[in-house]
Amino acid sequence: MESAAGTARRPRLDSLTGARFIAAGLVFVCHLATGGFFAAGTAAADGLMSATKSAGTIGVSFFFVLSGFVLTWSVRPGDTYRGVLRRRLVKIFPNHVVTFALALLVYAAASTPLGTGLLNLLLLQAWSTDPTVFLSVNGASWSLSCELLFYALFPLLLVVINRIGAARLWWWAAGVVAAVMVLPVVAGLLPVDPAFPATGSWLDGVSIDRLWFVYIFPLTRLLEFALGMLMARIVLSGRWIRLAWPWAGLLAVAAYVLGLCTPMLYTVAAVTVVPLALLIAALAVSDAAGRGTALSGRLMRRLGEASFAFYLVHGIVIAYLGEHLVAAHGPLTTTESVLVSLLALAVSLALAFALYHAVEMPAVRRFSRRRPATATSAAGTAPTAVPARGETDSTPV
């Protein structure tokens, strides 16, 4: 594919759909570690905290790269800039509004100022450097604030990326990777204080401004989205290096382990972005060739389809159980903590599938249908923002 025009229907990417749930699950276990289910100071709590330092960051980075890859992969002719935004907003906002209201009802109403609530509702919270704003209400929704920028810029970025010659795509990808890796160095120029207080987590003593710059700030996370777009063009233009997905998966695991040992600002994306980009491309290549993977089965597809809803509800479930079950009954034994964690998983999955079938899919079916293009955007023909039926979706956890 060298342009949006004339794009043929492309194969389903079932493995990437299944991989979405793995990424969402990593975010889930990361939040379990900080959810208070395991008594502070115990071997179980300390071990879980140590083992999940990379979990949330690698899960989010995976989805940012995936978004760029899938939107570029599923490009269609004849769409407009407005069509891009309409379809993506229809995908993310219904679930966001429902879980925003649920979070207010469960725990956030009394502690959320009106202005902060409005920023969160409009998905503008990630532009604030204040953690009480960017993690407000349903804290997980900060990543949607980044995705909103990605969707707004995607048609414009596609025009630029489509003009890159196939022989130079890897060089451009390397340049974007270099920019991601230098972000922690640039962040070092920001003030050390204020810093996160010591609570026994991986954020103890980390500068709030520096972490915001590398982890929350939408413009810096745009680099991972652009890398995903470049990887899609590399695959579609026949420039893939033929790295098999199991080897790419091993590289991702190694990067996860490395992230446990690096300073937090490097764990965020610098040490994991290359393996993630390679893994996403390798899974797509396998699916496109009709080979499938361990992630493309029916169960993983179904879990992956509900992963966006799972991401948005799981933090609310953990907060509710932490306040009404764990805090009310005092420190739990390790066995009790594991059982409560499994309960949180089961409830989160149940709510996720309910949200997916009752809110997300009805909204998509009602408002995301293709309509005959009546005009073209200033950027030229824009890509379809929602993949055709059967293709993986790019919405983040």
Coordinates of all heavy atoms in Angstrom, one line a residue, residues 258-318:
L258 N 13.8 -6.5 31.4 CA 14.7 -5.4 31.5 C 14.1 -4.2 32.1 O 14.7 -3.5 32.9 CB 15.2 -5.0 30.1 CG 16.2 -3.9 30.0 CD1 17.5 -4.1 30.8 CD2 16.6 -3.6 28.5
G259 N 12.8 -3.9 31.8 CA 12.1 -2.8 32.4 C 12.0 -2.9 33.9 O 11.8 -1.8 34.6
L260 N 12.1 -4.1 34.5 CA 12.0 -4.2 35.9 C 13.2 -3.6 36.6 O 13.2 -3.3 37.8 CB 11.9 -5.7 36.3 CG 10.6 -6.4 35.8 CD1 10.7 -7.9 36.2 CD2 9.3 -5.8 36.3
C261 N 14.3 -3.5 35.8 CA 15.6 -3.1 36.4 C 16.0 -1.7 36.1 O 16.9 -1.1 36.7 CB 16.7 -4.0 35.9 SG 16.4 -5.8 36.1
T262 N 15.3 -1.1 35.1 CA 15.7 0.3 34.7 C 15.0 1.3 35.5 O 13.9 1.0 36.1 CB 15.4 0.4 33.2 OG1 14.0 0.2 32.9 CG2 16.3 -0.5 32.3
P263 N 15.5 2.6 35.5 CA 14.7 3.7 36.1 C 13.4 3.8 35.4 O 13.2 3.5 34.3 CB 15.6 4.9 35.8 CG 17.0 4.3 35.6 CD 16.8 3.0 35.0
M264 N 12.4 4.3 36.2 CA 11.0 4.2 35.7 C 10.8 5.0 34.4 O 10.0 4.6 33.6 CB 10.1 4.8 36.8 CG 8.6 4.6 36.6 SD 8.2 2.8 36.7 CE 6.6 2.7 35.9
L265 N 11.5 6.1 34.3 CA 11.3 6.9 33.1 C 11.7 6.1 31.8 O 11.2 6.4 30.7 CB 12.1 8.2 33.2 CG 11.7 9.2 34.3 CD1 12.5 10.5 34.2 CD2 10.2 9.5 34.2
Y266 N 12.7 5.2 31.9 CA 13.1 4.3 30.8 C 12.1 3.1 30.7 O 11.9 2.6 29.6 CB 14.5 3.9 31.0 CG 15.5 5.0 30.8 CD1 15.9 5.8 31.9 CD2 16.1 5.3 29.6 CE1 16.8 6.9 31.7 CE2 17.0 6.3 29.4 CZ 17.3 7.1 30.5 OH 18.2 8.2 30.3
T267 N 11.6 2.7 31.8 CA 10.7 1.5 31.7 C 9.4 1.9 30.9 O 8.9 1.0 30.3 CB 10.3 1.1 33.2 OG1 11.5 0.7 33.9 CG2 9.3 0.0 33.2
V268 N 9.0 3.1 31.0 CA 7.7 3.6 30.4 C 7.6 3.1 28.9 O 6.6 2.5 28.5 CB 7.6 5.1 30.5 CG1 6.5 5.6 29.6 CG2 7.3 5.5 31.9
A269 N 8.7 3.4 28.1 CA 8.6 3.0 26.7 C 10.0 2.7 26.1 O 10.1 2.0 25.1 CB 7.8 4.1 25.9
A270 N 11.0 3.4 26.6 CA 12.3 3.4 25.9 C 12.8 2.0 25.7 O 13.4 1.7 24.7 CB 13.3 4.3 26.7
V271 N 12.7 1.1 26.7 CA 13.3 -0.2 26.7 C 12.3 -1.2 26.0 O 12.7 -2.4 25.8 CB 13.7 -0.7 28.1 CG1 14.7 0.2 28.7 CG2 12.5 -0.9 29.0
T272 N 11.1 -0.9 25.8 CA 10.1 -1.9 25.3 C 9.6 -1.6 23.9 O 8.9 -2.4 23.3 CB 8.9 -2.0 26.3 OG1 8.3 -0.7 26.4 CG2 9.4 -2.5 27.6
V273 N 9.7 -0.3 23.4 CA 9.0 0.1 22.2 C 9.4 -0.7 21.0 O 8.6 -1.1 20.1 CB 9.2 1.6 22.0 CG1 10.6 2.0 21.6 CG2 8.2 2.1 20.9
V274 N 10.7 -1.1 20.9 CA 11.2 -1.8 19.7 C 10.6 -3.2 19.7 O 10.0 -3.7 18.7 CB 12.7 -1.8 19.6 CG1 13.2 -2.8 18.5 CG2 13.3 -0.4 19.3
P275 N 10.7 -4.0 20.8 CA 10.1 -5.3 20.7 C 8.6 -5.3 20.5 O 8.1 -6.2 19.8 CB 10.5 -5.9 22.1 CG 11.7 -5.2 22.5 CD 11.5 -3.8 22.0
L276 N 7.9 -4.3 21.1 CA 6.5 -4.3 20.9 C 6.1 -4.0 19.4 O 5.2 -4.6 18.8 CB 5.9 -3.2 21.8 CG 5.9 -3.5 23.2 CD1 5.3 -2.3 24.0 CD2 5.1 -4.7 23.6
A277 N 6.9 -3.1 18.8 CA 6.6 -2.8 17.4 C 6.9 -4.0 16.5 O 6.1 -4.3 15.6 CB 7.5 -1.6 16.9
L278 N 8.0 -4.7 16.8 CA 8.3 -5.9 16.1 C 7.2 -7.0 16.3 O 6.8 -7.8 15.3 CB 9.7 -6.5 16.4 CG 10.8 -5.6 16.1 CD1 12.1 -6.1 16.7 CD2 11.0 -5.4 14.6
L279 N 6.8 -7.2 17.5 CA 5.8 -8.2 17.8 C 4.4 -7.9 17.1 O 3.8 -8.8 16.5 CB 5.5 -8.3 19.3 CG 4.4 -9.2 19.8 CD1 4.8 -10.7 19.4 CD2 4.3 -9.1 21.3
I280 N 4.0 -6.7 17.1 CA 2.7 -6.3 16.4 C 2.9 -6.6 14.9 O 1.9 -7.2 14.3 CB 2.4 -4.9 16.7 CG1 2.0 -4.7 18.1 CG2 1.3 -4.3 15.7 CD1 1.9 -3.2 18.6
A281 N 4.0 -6.2 14.3 CA 4.1 -6.5 12.9 C 4.2 -8.0 12.6 O 3.6 -8.5 11.6 CB 5.4 -5.8 12.4
A282 N 4.9 -8.7 13.5 CA 5.1 -10.2 13.2 C 3.8 -10.9 13.4 O 3.5 -11.8 12.6 CB 6.1 -10.7 14.2
L283 N 2.9 -10.5 14.3 CA 1.6 -11.1 14.5 C 0.8 -10.8 13.3 O 0.0 -11.7 12.7 CB 1.0 -10.6 15.7 CG 1.5 -11.1 17.1 CD1 0.9 -10.4 18.2 CD2 1.3 -12.6 17.2
A284 N 0.8 -9.6 12.8 CA 0.0 -9.2 11.6 C 0.5 -10.0 10.4 O -0.3 -10.5 9.6 CB 0.1 -7.7 11.4
V285 N 1.8 -10.2 10.2 CA 2.3 -10.9 9.1 C 1.8 -12.4 9.1 O 1.4 -12.9 8.1 CB 3.9 -10.8 9.0 CG1 4.4 -11.9 8.1 CG2 4.3 -9.4 8.7
S286 N 1.8 -13.0 10.3 CA 1.4 -14.3 10.4 C -0.1 -14.5 10.0 O -0.5 -15.4 9.3 CB 1.7 -14.8 11.8 OG 1.3 -16.2 12.0
D287 N -0.9 -13.6 10.5 CA -2.3 -13.6 10.2 C -2.6 -13.4 8.7 O -3.4 -14.0 8.1 CB -3.1 -12.5 11.0 CG -3.3 -13.0 12.5 OD1 -3.2 -14.2 12.7 OD2 -3.6 -12.1 13.3
A288 N -1.8 -12.4 8.2 CA -2.0 -12.1 6.7 C -1.7 -13.2 5.9 O -2.2 -13.4 4.8 CB -1.2 -10.8 6.4
A289 N -0.7 -14.1 6.3 CA -0.3 -15.2 5.6 C -1.2 -16.4 5.8 O -1.0 -17.5 5.2 CB 1.1 -15.6 5.9
G290 N -2.2 -16.3 6.7 CA -3.2 -17.3 6.9 C -2.7 -18.4 7.9 O -3.3 -19.4 8.0
R291 N -1.6 -18.1 8.6 CA -1.0 -19.1 9.5 C -1.6 -19.0 10.9 O -1.7 -20.0 11.6 CB 0.5 -18.9 9.6 CG 1.2 -19.2 8.3 CD 2.7 -19.3 8.5 NE 3.3 -18.0 8.9 CZ 3.7 -17.1 8.1 NH1 3.7 -17.3 6.8 NH2 4.2 -15.9 8.5
G292 N -2.1 -17.8 11.3 CA -2.6 -17.7 12.7 C -1.6 -17.9 13.7 O -0.4 -18.2 13.4
T293 N -1.9 -17.7 15.0 CA -1.0 -17.8 16.1 C -1.8 -18.3 17.3 O -3.0 -18.6 17.2 CB -0.4 -16.5 16.5 OG1 -1.4 -15.6 17.1 CG2 0.2 -15.8 15.2
A294 N -1.1 -18.5 18.4 CA -1.7 -18.9 19.6 C -2.7 -17.9 20.1 O -3.6 -18.2 21.0 CB -0.7 -19.2 20.7
L295 N -2.7 -16.7 19.6 CA -3.6 -15.6 20.1 C -4.8 -15.4 19.2 O -5.6 -14.5 19.4 CB -2.8 -14.3 20.2 CG -1.6 -14.3 21.1 CD1 -0.9 -12.9 21.0 CD2 -2.1 -14.5 22.6
S296 N -4.9 -16.2 18.1 CA -6.0 -16.0 17.1 C -7.2 -16.9 17.3 O -8.1 -16.8 16.5 CB -5.4 -16.1 15.7 OG -4.9 -17.4 15.5
G297 N -7.2 -17.7 18.3 CA -8.3 -18.6 18.6 C -9.6 -17.8 19.0 O -9.6 -16.7 19.3
R298 N -10.7 -18.5 19.0 CA -12.0 -17.9 19.3 C -12.1 -17.3 20.6 O -12.5 -16.2 20.8 CB -13.1 -19.0 19.1 CG -14.5 -18.4 19.4 CD -15.6 -19.5 19.3 NE -16.9 -19.1 19.7 CZ -17.7 -18.4 18.8 NH1 -17.3 -18.2 17.6 NH2 -18.9 -18.0 19.3
L299 N -11.6 -18.0 21.7 CA -11.6 -17.4 23.0 C -10.8 -16.1 23.1 O -11.3 -15.1 23.7 CB -11.1 -18.4 24.0 CG -10.9 -18.0 25.5 CD1 -12.3 -17.6 26.0 CD2 -10.3 -19.0 26.4
M300 N -9.6 -16.1 22.6 CA -8.8 -14.9 22.7 C -9.4 -13.8 21.9 O -9.3 -12.6 22.3 CB -7.4 -15.2 22.2 CG -6.6 -16.1 23.1 SD -6.5 -15.5 24.8 CE -5.7 -13.9 24.6
R301 N -10.0 -14.1 20.8 CA -10.7 -13.0 20.0 C -11.8 -12.4 20.8 O -12.0 -11.2 20.8 CB -11.2 -13.6 18.7 CG -10.2 -14.0 17.6 CD -10.8 -14.0 16.2 NE -12.1 -14.7 16.2 CZ -12.2 -16.0 15.9 NH1 -11.1 -16.7 15.8 NH2 -13.4 -16.5 15.8
R302 N -12.6 -13.2 21.4 CA -13.7 -12.7 22.2 C -13.2 -11.9 23.4 O -13.8 -10.8 23.7 CB -14.6 -13.9 22.7 CG -15.3 -14.6 21.6 CD -16.3 -13.8 20.9 NE -16.9 -14.4 19.8 CZ -16.5 -14.3 18.5 NH1 -15.6 -13.4 18.2 NH2 -17.1 -14.9 17.5
L303 N -12.2 -12.3 24.1 CA -11.6 -11.5 25.1 C -11.0 -10.2 24.6 O -11.2 -9.2 25.2 CB -10.6 -12.4 25.9 CG -11.0 -13.5 26.7 CD1 -9.9 -14.4 27.2 CD2 -11.9 -13.1 27.9
G304 N -10.4 -10.3 23.5 CA -9.8 -9.1 22.9 C -10.8 -8.1 22.5 O -10.6 -6.9 22.6
E305 N -12.0 -8.6 22.0 CA -13.0 -7.6 21.6 C -13.6 -6.8 22.8 O -14.0 -5.7 22.6 CB -14.1 -8.4 20.9 CG -13.8 -9.0 19.5 CD -14.8 -10.0 19.0 OE1 -15.7 -10.4 19.8 OE2 -14.6 -10.4 17.9
A306 N -13.6 -7.4 23.9 CA -14.1 -6.8 25.1 C -13.0 -6.1 25.9 O -13.2 -5.6 27.0 CB -14.8 -7.8 26.0
S307 N -11.7 -6.1 25.4 CA -10.6 -5.6 26.2 C -10.7 -4.1 26.5 O -10.3 -3.6 27.5 CB -9.3 -5.9 25.5 OG -9.2 -5.3 24.2
F308 N -11.2 -3.3 25.6 CA -11.4 -1.9 25.8 C -12.3 -1.6 27.0 O -12.0 -0.9 27.9 CB -11.9 -1.2 24.5 CG -12.3 0.3 24.7 CD1 -11.4 1.1 25.4 CD2 -13.4 0.8 24.1 CE1 -11.8 2.5 25.6 CE2 -13.7 2.1 24.3 CZ -12.9 3.0 25.0
A309 N -13.5 -2.3 27.0 CA -14.4 -2.2 28.1 C -13.8 -2.7 29.4 O -14.0 -2.1 30.5 CB -15.7 -3.0 27.8
F310 N -13.0 -3.8 29.3 CA -12.4 -4.4 30.5 C -11.4 -3.4 31.1 O -11.3 -3.2 32.3 CB -11.6 -5.6 30.1 CG -10.8 -6.3 31.2 CD1 -11.4 -7.1 32.1 CD2 -9.4 -6.1 31.3 CE1 -10.7 -7.6 33.2 CE2 -8.7 -6.7 32.3 CZ -9.3 -7.4 33.2
Y311 N -10.7 -2.7 30.2 CA -9.7 -1.7 30.7 C -10.4 -0.6 31.4 O -10.0 -0.1 32.5 CB -8.9 -1.1 29.5 CG -8.1 0.1 29.8 CD1 -6.9 -0.1 30.5 CD2 -8.5 1.4 29.5 CE1 -6.1 1.0 30.8 CE2 -7.7 2.5 29.8 CZ -6.5 2.3 30.5 OH -5.7 3.3 30.8
L312 N -11.6 -0.1 30.9 CA -12.2 1.0 31.5 C -13.0 0.6 32.8 O -13.2 1.5 33.7 CB -13.2 1.6 30.6 CG -12.6 2.4 29.4 CD1 -13.7 2.9 28.5 CD2 -11.8 3.6 29.9
V313 N -13.3 -0.6 33.0 CA -14.1 -1.0 34.2 C -13.2 -1.6 35.3 O -13.6 -1.5 36.5 CB -15.2 -2.0 33.9 CG1 -16.2 -1.4 32.9 CG2 -14.7 -3.3 33.5
H314 N -12.0 -2.1 35.0 CA -11.3 -2.9 36.0 C -10.8 -2.1 37.2 O -10.8 -2.5 38.3 CB -10.1 -3.6 35.4 CG -8.9 -2.8 35.2 ND1 -8.7 -2.0 34.1 CD2 -7.8 -2.6 36.0 CE1 -7.6 -1.3 34.2 NE2 -7.0 -1.7 35.3
G315 N -10.4 -0.8 36.9 CA -9.9 0.0 38.0 C -11.1 0.4 39.0 O -10.8 0.5 40.2
I316 N -12.3 0.6 38.4 CA -13.4 0.9 39.3 C -13.7 -0.3 40.2 O -14.0 -0.2 41.4 CB -14.6 1.2 38.4 CG1 -14.3 2.4 37.5 CG2 -15.9 1.5 39.2 CD1 -15.4 2.7 36.5
V317 N -13.7 -1.5 39.6 CA -13.9 -2.7 40.4 C -12.9 -2.9 41.5 O -13.2 -3.2 42.6 CB -13.9 -4.0 39.5 CG1 -14.0 -5.3 40.3 CG2 -15.1 -3.9 38.5
I318 N -11.6 -2.7 41.1 CA -10.6 -2.8 42.1 C -10.7 -1.8 43.3 O -10.6 -2.1 44.4 CB -9.2 -2.7 41.5 CG1 -8.9 -3.9 40.6 CG2 -8.1 -2.5 42.5 CD1 -7.6 -3.8 39.8

